[in-house]
Amino acid sequence: MKYGVCIVSVAPVRAEASDRSEMVTQLLFGEKVEIIAVQEKWLKIMADYDSYVGWVDPKLIKEVSLAEYQQLSTTQYSSDLFNLMIDDENPCTLTLAAHIYANEDQKINFGGKSFEYLGESLDATRNETSIADLAKLYLNTPYLWGGKSNFGIDCSGLVQQVYKLKNIALPRDASQQATKGEVLGFVAEAQEGDLAFFDNEEGNIIHVGIILEDQKIIHAHGKVRIDPLDSTGIFNTDSQRYSHKLRFIKRIID
């Protein structure tokens, strides 16, 4: 088995070994991967954080030893929307929630490379910012299927990254996230930070959002936005109609 770390701000992970293939998720800077197959221009990887499997361009991954892979562990994440890092004297902008392994000199070292991190970071184990306020950092981020950064994000990517900043690990997809936590009986029981899940006509979970105060929800639909929520679902304030049908609400227990 080989191991690696993402060395760019955002790396697309594709369903198949082709640039034309669907992007199923992304890696943010510092995310670790297991390399489970190698082709000439592609690596098949499994992400350490959520075990998601897909194909990535090898130029975006720096191979590391098993010992270094095991050593690289952090609850430190970049905390601003745009964070400056220097790579071989070249500036690079890191997104919110990149994985930061900086030492006392603000150097990030792995795989024989050294990066200078000039941005801000937070320790997710001591993060007192509310889930709702963290989610609002992503407001107006464009919707991007498979995205999980403030450059472009999907509904489950938003939920996963926000909860990560509170040191709560969730799976990547909405249907997987729906298996976690405890079901609440009524919308009125929901508290800020709970998750609302929505299904299609076949009963499949297709959407998720984070509940705010006053029966509002923040979710990624066209862009990250805030809309009213009731027992029927999400009422889109632009179209003036319901956009998603509510299935259930869950409270995530860490």
Side-chain angles (χ1 to χ4, degrees), residues 131-132 159 163 182-184 186-197 208-213 216-218 229 248-253:
I131 288 174
V159 167
Y163 269 78
E182 297 180 353
V183 176
L184 304 181
F186 303 97
V187 173
E189 295 178 24
Q191 298 176 4
E192 191 175 72
D194 290 339
L195 299 181
F197 293 91
V208 61
I210 299 171
I211 290 178
L212 306 178
E213 291 182 339
K216 298 287 181 65
I217 187 169
I218 184 168
L229 173 70
F248 49 70
I249 294 172
K250 281 200 162 185
R251 181 161 299 152
I252 303 300
I253 307 301

Side-chain angles (χ1 to χ4, degrees), residues 128-253:
E128 296 183 357
T129 305
S130 70
I131 288 174
D133 285 342
L134 289 170
K136 289 174 184 177
L137 293 174
Y138 290 90
L139 270 173
N140 292 315
T141 297
Y143 180 88
L144 176 64
W145 178 269
K148 62 178 196 180
S149 84
N150 50 286
F151 297 153
I153 202 162
D154 63 21
C155 64
S156 56
L158 172 67
V159 167
Q160 185 193 52
Q161 295 308 295
V162 167
Y163 269 78
K164 181 177 78 174
L165 294 173
K166 294 293 285 185
N167 203 39
I168 300 172
L170 289 179
R172 178 63 180 87
D173 293 338
S175 59
Q176 299 169 323
Q177 294 169 358
T179 66
K180 305 299 181 181
E182 297 180 353
V183 176
L184 304 181
F186 303 97
V187 173
E189 295 178 24
Q191 298 176 4
E192 191 175 72
D194 290 339
L195 299 181
F197 293 91
F198 307 85
D199 60 9
N200 59 15
E201 293 180 356
E202 289 74 39
N204 299 317
I205 299 297
I206 58 167
H207 194 65
V208 61
I210 299 171
I211 290 178
L212 306 178
E213 291 182 339
D214 302 321
Q215 288 193 215
K216 298 287 181 65
I217 187 169
I218 184 168
H219 64 127
H221 180 61
K223 63 179 181 179
V224 178
R225 54 181 294 132
I226 296 174
D227 286 306
L229 173 70
D230 59 28
S231 58
T232 298
I234 298 174
F235 187 78
N236 187 290
T237 53
D238 291 336
S239 65
Q240 290 293 297
R241 61 185 180 86
Y242 286 96
S243 61
H244 297 87
K245 178 167 68 79
L246 181 64
R247 176 71 171 273
F248 49 70
I249 294 172
K250 281 200 162 185
R251 181 161 299 152
I252 303 300
I253 307 301

Side-chain angles (χ1 to χ4, degrees), residues 53 91 99:
V53 174
H99 295 225

Side-chain angles (χ1 to χ4, degrees), residues 74-80 83 96-101 117 119-130 134 137-138 161-167:
T74 188
T75 57
Q76 296 281 339
Y77 303 108
S78 51
S79 56
D80 285 345
N83 305 271
L96 178 63
H99 295 225
I100 304 300
Y101 308 101
Y117 183 62
E120 298 295 324
S121 60
L122 59 83
D123 185 341
T125 64
R126 297 197 294 268
N127 185 6
E128 296 183 357
T129 305
S130 70
L134 289 170
L137 293 174
Y138 290 90
Q161 295 308 295
V162 167
Y163 269 78
K164 181 177 78 174
L165 294 173
K166 294 293 285 185
N167 203 39

